[in-house]
Amino acid sequence: MTLDPITMAGNKARGKRPSYFKEADTDRLMAILMALAGELAVTRERVDTLERLLAARGLLEREAIENYEPDSDAARERGLWHQDFIARILRVVQQEIEQFDEDRQARRQAREENVSATTELEELIDELAST
């Protein structure tokens, strides 16, 4: 089974999203920043762990990390990770866009049904008028 990070970013919690600020845009921006801060904190801890373990075992010096250049496989893996990362960071915006599309589709359908009901009403009036 292949996991698609962009599709997974669309997963929603049940219920209404809480709001903390007067402006919805501020809430969205804060959610993005908090997701980014969480990702950065986890990454920082993992890098710190690796550096300390490697240094303690005498396997690597910090200078080697600073001078590292990834090969093509490592660069590809990093690119995939970046896609997943961006999808997670911007999931709030993606969900807003999906909700907007769903609302627009619902409005369009309601408008079409209204037209249909109006047409049926007009046909009924015409039928009654002709009898």
Side-chain angles (χ1 to χ4, degrees), residues 49-62:
T49 299
L50 288 171
E51 288 179 358
R52 289 176 188 273
L53 288 173
L54 293 171
R57 294 177 183 169
L59 297 173
L60 188 63
E61 296 176 12
R62 293 188 67 95

Side-chain angles (χ1 to χ4, degrees), residues 6-125:
I6 294 174
T7 301
M8 291 174 60
N11 294 342
K12 299 176 190 173
R14 293 176 191 232
K16 187 178 178 187
R17 179 179 295 280
S19 63
Y20 304 102
F21 297 96
K22 193 181 275 185
E23 299 292 327
D25 289 341
T26 305
D27 276 325
R28 281 191 289 275
L29 183 58
M30 183 58 78
I32 291 169
L33 289 174
M34 290 296 101
L36 184 58
E39 292 289 335
L40 180 59
V42 169
T43 300
R44 177 69 184 97
E45 285 183 20
R46 293 181 64 92
V47 169
D48 182 64
T49 299
L50 288 171
E51 288 179 358
R52 289 176 188 273
L53 288 173
L54 293 171
R57 294 177 183 169
L59 297 173
L60 188 63
E61 296 176 12
R62 293 188 67 95
E63 188 174 284
I65 295 171
E66 298 296 330
N67 296 327
Y68 175 75
E69 291 188 26
D71 61 17
S72 61
D73 287 340
R76 184 175 40 78
E77 286 180 25
R78 286 181 176 190
L80 292 172
W81 182 87
H82 278 254
Q83 287 179 346
D84 177 57
F85 178 69
I86 296 299
R88 281 183 280 128
I89 295 299
L90 296 178
R91 78 177 168 77
V92 171
V93 175
Q94 180 186 353
Q95 290 173 356
E96 292 277 336
I97 291 169
E98 289 172 358
Q99 186 62 50
F100 177 78
D101 288 343
E102 288 174 14
D103 291 347
R104 182 173 46 189
Q105 189 174 18
R107 284 193 304 271
R108 183 180 307 137
Q109 184 177 355
R111 194 171 37 244
E112 288 172 2
E113 288 175 0
N114 192 18
V115 168
S116 175
T118 302
T119 303
E120 288 178 17
L121 181 61
E122 288 172 352
E123 289 174 359
L124 180 62
I125 291 171

